[in-house]
Amino acid sequence: MEMTVQLTIDCSDPQKMVAFWARALGYVPEPAPDGHATWRAYWEAMGVSAEDLPTGAGDIPESIVDPAGRGPRVWFQQVPESKTVKNRWHFDLKVGGGRDVPLDVRAQRVRAAVNQLVEAGATVLRIKDEPGMGLYAAAMQDPEGNEFDVV
C-alpha cells in the first residue's frame, strides 16, 4: 500500500504561515490542482458549499510543498482558537552541516539562517551556545508562536 504524509498545522493566518514556512523550509506554495486558478475554485468545483468556505479561504495557497518532492506537504489549517501551550513536537532546521563540520562553521551557518528567519517574521527565544558539547543552535518561534530549532 502506498502512503503519503501531510503535516497539518492549525493557525489563525494561513497566508502568513505559508509565506514564512515556504521560506524557512525552501518549499513553494502549492498551486491549485487540475488547472484551477485558485484552491477556492477547485473546492467549489468539487462541491464544497460556500458556507463551508470562510471568507478568503483558498484565494491564495494554504499549503506548501517541497519542490524536489522529498518532504511532506504542509497544510496550514485555519482555526478560530489561538495557540496556548508549548508544542509537543517541533521542526529542527538542520543548516549547520552536522558534527563533521567544525563548530565555528556550523555556528556561522546557524546565525545566517537565524537572521533570515527573523527577517521573515520569526523570534529568537534563546541561543544554545555550548562549545564543550560541540553545540550551537537557536530555539525560535514562527509568527504564530510555534517553536522550532535551527541547528
Side-chain angles (χ1 to χ4, degrees), residues 41-112:
Y42 171 74
W43 294 329
E44 288 171 343
M46 298 297 294
V48 178
S49 70
E51 297 83 44
D52 290 332
L53 293 173
T55 301
D59 290 337
I60 64 172
E62 296 170 354
S63 54
I64 58 177
V65 292
D66 178 354
R70 293 186 304 257
R73 175 184 194 257
V74 182
W75 176 41
F76 298 96
Q77 175 176 266
Q78 188 171 12
V79 296
E81 67 277 358
S82 61
K83 180 182 178 299
T84 58
V85 297
K86 185 180 184 316
N87 300 11
R88 295 288 303 234
W89 63 270
H90 64 265
F91 283 112
D92 282 344
L93 305 183
K94 296 183 174 187
V95 301
R99 297 237 178 222
D100 292 338
V101 175
L103 180 59
D104 62 326
V105 174
R106 285 186 277 138
Q108 181 180 14
R109 291 175 180 173
V110 167
R111 283 191 291 271

Side-chain angles (χ1 to χ4, degrees), residues 1 16 18 27 32 39-40 47 53 65 70 73-75 84 96 107 116 119 122 124 140:
M1 172 172 49
K16 180 188 279 186
V18 162
Y27 274 39
W39 278 93
R40 183 178 201 88
L53 293 173
V65 292
R70 293 186 304 257
R73 175 184 194 257
V74 182
W75 176 41
T84 58
Q116 290 177 348
E119 287 176 13
V124 177
M140 303 186 74

